[in-house]
Amino acid sequence: MKKILLAGLVLIFGTIGTAQPQHLDKSTGTEVEVCSIDSIFNDINCDDSPGCSVGVFRAGEIIFSKGYGMASLEHNISLSPNSKINLGSVSKQFTALSVILLDQKGKLSIDDPIRKYLPELPEYAAPVTIRHLIHHTGGIRDNVALLRLARGQVESDSDEVIKSMLEWQSRLNFNPGENFMYSSAGYSLLAMIVERVSGKSFKEFTKQEIFDPLGMESSRFLSHATSKNRALAYVPYGDNKYRLSIPTHSLVGTTGLYTTIEDLAKWDKNFYDMQVGGSEGISLMQIPGRLNSGQELSYASGLLIDSYRGLKTVWHGGFDPGYTSMLLRFPEEHLTVAILCNITSANPWERAYKVADLYLGNEMDEEQVATGLNYENVTLSHKELEVFTGIYKSRDGIMVQSFDEKDGQLIATIGNTQYPLSHIGNRQFSDGITHYVLSFTESGEGDAMTASWSPNPRPIKGDSLKLDRISPRWNPVHNELSEFTGSFFNEELDANWKIVQNDDGLVLKRWGIEDQFLEPLNKDVFAFKGNTSPRLEFKREDNGRINHIEVSNEQILGIKFLKRN
């Protein structure tokens, strides 16, 4: 998806959004300085950078809108409130409403098993229902994670590719309803169900049932090819350089909705006047799911029900190569912030909360969250920090994180991202940006240690996410690595892996994919270098010989690669 577009694009973009130096939020009497909003986007408000289109709504009415940065660097066209941008996973809430509309018409029930409409999928031990897919509790393996294991990338992905791949998956990540695990594949399946039940393409169904009734004339699923006003997508490389990200997948349901700030205001208004879906449908969209245990999630129907500085929020973020987005609603204050960006590094989530602070700061708790925590850094020595280092695993077995000391600072590695942490006293750490606080406690004899993130960053309601240290980081000597080499095969992905050893350690080789160095986490467990995900756990027979690898990350569990030699 990250290719350079040389020439030949003919796009027609809209005019630049305008804003007065100061504007009045008439519903509250709050005056907001435009320059205060501008300052949040100063780093991308230039003619040599992609950027973001921003909107603030009161009950669906636009009270501020403006574009920052460029819709096309090649054609010197600026972003505006009517620039079309891919919402990424913010698209999911439109898919959820589509299913609810069919439920209201009696065409399906959200408690129907999905095989009623997709009989070609495997028959698992327990049925996966439509409701499970909506709340990410079905255990369906994530298509992006599967494709990256098999091919190293997700180019030319389509809903049919996903369905075909899922037909070969013999197991779920867990029994339906037992846990939460975010799966984009689930929402692709929901879009397929909408098509089969309605007899229309998903693009046509959403146009007729949602976009046309709401007057969202600029909103369509996958209208990127020659769409008027479309903002091009970019990824950063090097210093202040950007390259085009060319959309090659054709996924709908889980992503793929191109829309504008102006249209999102109309969508936002529907949560108040409930023109599409009615009060029952809109209410249902915002009811969080539950696990079989009765534990409540914060994830509803493509929406997260959360809070920020004492105020209730309903939100979802989105990512699609080259695009990022955030739609943040404060339902009780009737205020919504929408940020649509055409650059992967824009971080619209943090910016959205900063914009909300300007409008609702007087109604919020004093605690600062996304705008930066004002904790004082308490310095710890190298020896004191080493007490916390090691590999930690969440108690449900889904997440693995590592903590290492580097240059007098504790570094958290979560997936492929590193987060420098500052000690704020009493064995507590913060990244200085988000509201999450990491605490360490000794949990028994010896070096047993528990790390707790509070509040819980996963959408399962509870006080904290607890991870137990499973061991200090394993540092095998060179001659201990040879037993992990060999050829491994997974039938579900039709994927061959070859692991070899060189002077630097173990290397994973896959046909047509760049070699991947493996880094030891703990005994018999490796990860891609610089990552804690995916995890490769080598399993042994009774005689101690390696039999297979089980591969897991935050979206797939226990993919088996059998050793061939």
Side-chain angles (χ1 to χ4, degrees):
M1 298 183 184
K2 302 176 181 178
K3 300 177 181 177
I4 297 177
L5 182 63
L6 298 177
L9 291 176
V10 180
L11 298 172
I12 305 173
F13 293 84
T15 58
I16 303 172
T18 59
Q20 299 301 315
Q22 186 181 72
H23 73 94
L24 177 68
D25 181 356
K26 295 180 180 178
S27 64
T28 63
T30 302
E31 286 189 349
V32 177
E33 297 283 349
V34 171
C35 64
S36 297
I37 301 176
D38 290 346
S39 68
I40 298 171
F41 300 90
N42 273 344
D43 59 316
I44 55 174
N45 190 23
C46 47
D47 59 8
D48 60 355
S49 169
C52 301
S53 184
V54 181
V56 182
F57 318 138
R58 279 283 185 185
E61 299 297 329
I62 297 174
I63 59 175
F64 175 86
S65 64
K66 190 173 180 179
Y68 298 92
M70 306 303 289
S72 171
L73 296 174
E74 292 75 12
H75 299 278
N76 195 34
I77 301 172
S78 299
L79 280 166
S80 75
N82 66 345
S83 295
K84 294 179 183 177
I85 293 178
N86 188 341
L87 292 185
S89 287
V90 177
S91 307
K92 287 180 169 65
Q93 56 197 271
F94 295 86
T95 305
L97 180 57
S98 297
V99 172
I100 289 171
L101 292 176
L102 289 173
D103 179 89
Q104 290 178 330
K105 293 179 180 180
K107 299 291 184 69
L108 56 73
S109 167
I110 61 173
D111 290 310
D112 284 339
I114 61 174
R115 290 191 75 251
K116 180 176 180 179
Y117 308 102
L118 301 170
E120 61 270 37
L121 293 179
E123 187 171 2
Y124 300 112
V128 178
T129 67
I130 292 174
R131 189 187 297 272
H132 287 139
L133 297 187
I134 289 174
H135 298 311
H136 298 287
T137 59
I140 295 289
R141 290 168 171 170
D142 182 74
N143 58 291
V144 174
L146 290 173
L147 286 166
R148 283 179 176 159
L149 284 182
R151 305 199 305 241
Q153 42 75 39
V154 293
E155 287 189 4
S156 303
D157 200 3
S158 68
D159 295 306
E160 285 303 314
V161 168
I162 291 174
K163 185 166 64 66
S164 176
M165 178 169 283
L166 293 178
E167 288 174 19
W168 283 87
Q169 302 303 304
S170 60
R171 295 193 306 154
L172 298 168
N173 285 320
F174 45 78
N175 288 331
E178 284 192 357
N179 211 329
F180 174 97
M181 185 174 278
Y182 193 87
S183 174
S184 292
Y187 270 75
S188 291
L189 294 177
L190 288 174
M192 295 179 208
I193 290 172
V194 169
E195 290 184 333
R196 293 196 179 182
V197 171
S198 68
K200 303 173 184 175
S201 70
F202 189 69
K203 178 180 178 180
E204 187 64 22
F205 180 87
T206 51
K207 178 181 181 298
Q208 293 180 2
E209 301 294 331
I210 299 176
F211 303 140
D212 285 354
L214 295 180
M216 298 174 66
E217 297 179 357
S218 297
S219 301
R220 296 292 183 271
F221 274 92
L222 283 177
S223 59
H224 56 67
T226 57
S227 179
K228 178 182 177 180
N229 293 352
R230 179 175 68 90
L232 302 181
Y234 296 89
V235 294
Y237 76 99
D239 294 331
N240 299 317
K241 296 180 181 179
Y242 308 94
R243 59 186 178 191
L244 281 167
S245 177
I246 310 300
T248 59
H249 70 74
S250 57
L251 298 177
V252 295
T254 188
T255 183
L257 176 58
Y258 284 76
T259 190
T260 68
I261 289 295
E262 293 173 352
D263 269 12
L264 282 180
K266 299 171 183 177
W267 170 248
D268 182 65
K269 188 175 183 179
N270 193 54
F271 282 82
Y272 303 105
D273 65 19
M274 305 176 192
Q275 179 182 350
V276 174
S279 60
E280 182 179 353
I282 297 302
S283 175
L284 182 60
M285 281 190 73
Q286 299 175 88
I287 297 176
R290 288 185 181 272
L291 301 180
N292 294 341
S293 64
Q295 187 173 18
E296 189 177 64
L297 306 176
S298 55
Y299 201 94
S301 300
L303 297 167
L304 281 145
I305 312 302
D306 206 347
S307 64
Y308 173 76
R309 294 181 61 189
L311 302 182
K312 180 180 178 180
T313 59
V314 180
W315 68 276
H316 209 290
F319 172 87
D320 203 282
Y323 296 110
T324 50
S325 62
M326 177 65 163
L327 187 59
L328 171 65
R329 180 180 301 110
F330 293 82
E332 294 171 0
E333 291 70 29
H334 291 194
L335 185 104
T336 296
V337 180
I339 302 180
L340 312 183
C341 308
N342 65 333
I343 175 66
T344 55
S345 58
N347 193 357
W349 307 278
E350 181 182 347
R351 297 179 200 265
Y353 287 110
K354 288 183 177 181
V355 172
D357 287 342
L358 297 175
Y359 287 87
L360 300 176
N362 292 335
E363 303 175 48
M364 293 176 172
D365 291 345
E366 288 298 319
E367 178 193 7
Q368 292 294 303
V369 184
T371 55
L373 294 164
N374 296 318
Y375 290 127
E376 182 178 350
N377 185 34
V378 180
T379 303
L380 293 180
S381 67
H382 170 80
K383 185 176 181 180
E384 289 172 318
L385 286 172
E386 276 198 329
V387 172
F388 309 116
T389 61
I391 309 300
Y392 291 72
K393 191 173 187 178
S394 63
R395 293 179 177 177
D396 60 9
I398 290 176
M399 297 190 73
V400 170
Q401 301 176 5
S402 72
F403 300 98
D404 300 279
E405 187 276 337
K406 183 179 180 181
D407 299 329
Q409 194 167 28
L410 193 68
I411 307 296
T413 302
I414 305 173
N416 62 355
T417 305
Q418 293 187 334
Y419 300 89
L421 304 175
S422 297
H423 182 234
I424 58 176
N426 197 29
R427 292 191 166 197
Q428 294 185 321
F429 294 80
S430 167
D431 64 2
I433 299 175
T434 69
H435 60 309
Y436 298 114
V437 172
L438 174 68
S439 304
F440 289 93
T441 56
E442 293 175 349
S443 54
E445 296 181 358
D447 65 353
M449 186 76 73
T450 295
S452 301
W453 287 101
S454 182
N456 195 338
R458 296 189 67 218
I460 299 177
K461 289 194 174 179
D463 293 334
S464 63
L465 171 67
K466 289 183 168 57
L467 304 99
D468 296 313
R469 182 160 60 187
I470 52 180
S471 74
R473 186 179 286 275
W474 181 45
N475 294 302
V477 297
H478 191 75
N479 61 12
E480 291 182 286
L481 296 176
S482 60
E483 65 175 329
F484 299 102
T485 62
S487 296
F488 299 83
F489 177 72
N490 177 268
E491 184 178 26
E492 294 172 305
L493 300 176
D494 191 26
N496 285 288
W497 282 12
K498 187 176 182 180
I499 297 177
V500 300
Q501 184 179 3
N502 64 18
D503 292 341
D504 296 319
L506 294 180
V507 181
L508 171 62
K509 291 182 172 289
R510 294 170 287 177
W511 185 85
I513 303 172
E514 185 178 354
D515 290 351
Q516 181 69 58
F517 283 90
L518 301 180
E519 189 172 46
L521 294 179
N522 57 299
K523 180 66 174 175
D524 290 352
V525 181
F526 293 77
F528 289 1
K529 189 172 183 178
N531 288 259
T532 57
S533 177
R535 305 180 298 279
L536 285 67
E537 186 169 357
F538 289 79
K539 297 294 186 178
R540 298 176 183 271
E541 298 174 341
D542 292 340
N543 61 14
R545 289 189 300 183
I546 290 172
N547 175 266
H548 67 276
I549 306 172
E550 289 189 3
V551 184
S552 303
N553 65 16
E554 286 73 27
Q555 294 173 301
I556 53 172
L557 295 177
I559 301 288
K560 287 187 178 182
F561 281 77
L562 297 177
K563 188 170 185 179
R564 286 183 155 180
N565 57 46

